[in-house]
Amino acid sequence: QVQLVESGGGLVQPGGSLRLSCVASGSIFSRVGMGWYRQAPGKQRELVAVITRAFNTNYADSVKGRFTISRDSNKKTVYLQMNSLKPEDTAVYYCSLGDWRSGTYQVDYWGQGTQVTVSS
């Protein structure tokens, strides 16, 4: 069974930075894609960034140039470096493990989520 455990959330002032980490257990980490989603109160969960097996990345327009997704296959960890944070980035951030089917990233496993709050 695969488990995903996030860490690194917290309270940060606008313009600040945070780095989220997600450690995966199980043996399939290196063979699938991973992504970060977020869900703000009253809003739908949205994709923030994804990274493929070949380390190709894709980002939501709202975070391009500010967030960076990366992965370390040896450590079974995926990261989300978030810079120049804005209040609208406030949300629960979820790690995901999935794969691309019919050209679309589809989630097979979710982490429990970590809260990110951007406020002065």
Side-chain angles (χ1 to χ4, degrees):
Q1 183 71 9
V2 173
Q3 285 190 319
L4 304 174
V5 179
E6 302 107 329
S7 61
L11 173 64
V12 63
Q13 292 186 341
S17 298
L18 282 175
R19 189 176 81 153
L20 306 183
S21 300
C22 173
V23 181
S25 64
S27 62
I28 65 173
F29 177 80
S30 63
R31 301 197 297 271
V32 301
M34 298 193 77
W36 287 94
Y37 285 73
R38 67 185 181 188
Q39 188 167 18
K43 294 188 177 181
Q44 289 189 333
R45 192 172 296 189
E46 62 175 356
L47 181 63
V48 175
V50 292
I51 186 166
T52 72
R53 298 179 186 86
F55 300 93
N56 297 313
T57 58
N58 194 26
Y59 298 91
D61 288 342
S62 59
V63 305
K64 282 181 181 177
R66 300 188 297 122
F67 290 11
T68 303
I69 188 171
S70 60
R71 64 191 289 176
D72 184 332
S73 297
N74 292 331
K75 295 181 179 179
K76 297 185 177 182
T77 302
V78 64
Y79 304 97
L80 186 67
Q81 178 66 43
M82 305 185 294
N83 298 328
S84 302
L85 282 161
K86 305 175 181 180
E88 51 263 44
D89 294 319
T90 296
V92 177
Y93 284 70
Y94 296 91
C95 177
S96 69
L97 188 69
D99 210 343
W100 279 264
R101 304 181 185 96
S102 302
T104 302
Y105 178 69
Q106 298 182 12
V107 178
D108 296 319
Y109 301 96
W110 291 100
Q112 82 285 356
T114 185
Q115 176 70 45
V116 172
T117 302
V118 184
S119 176
S120 56

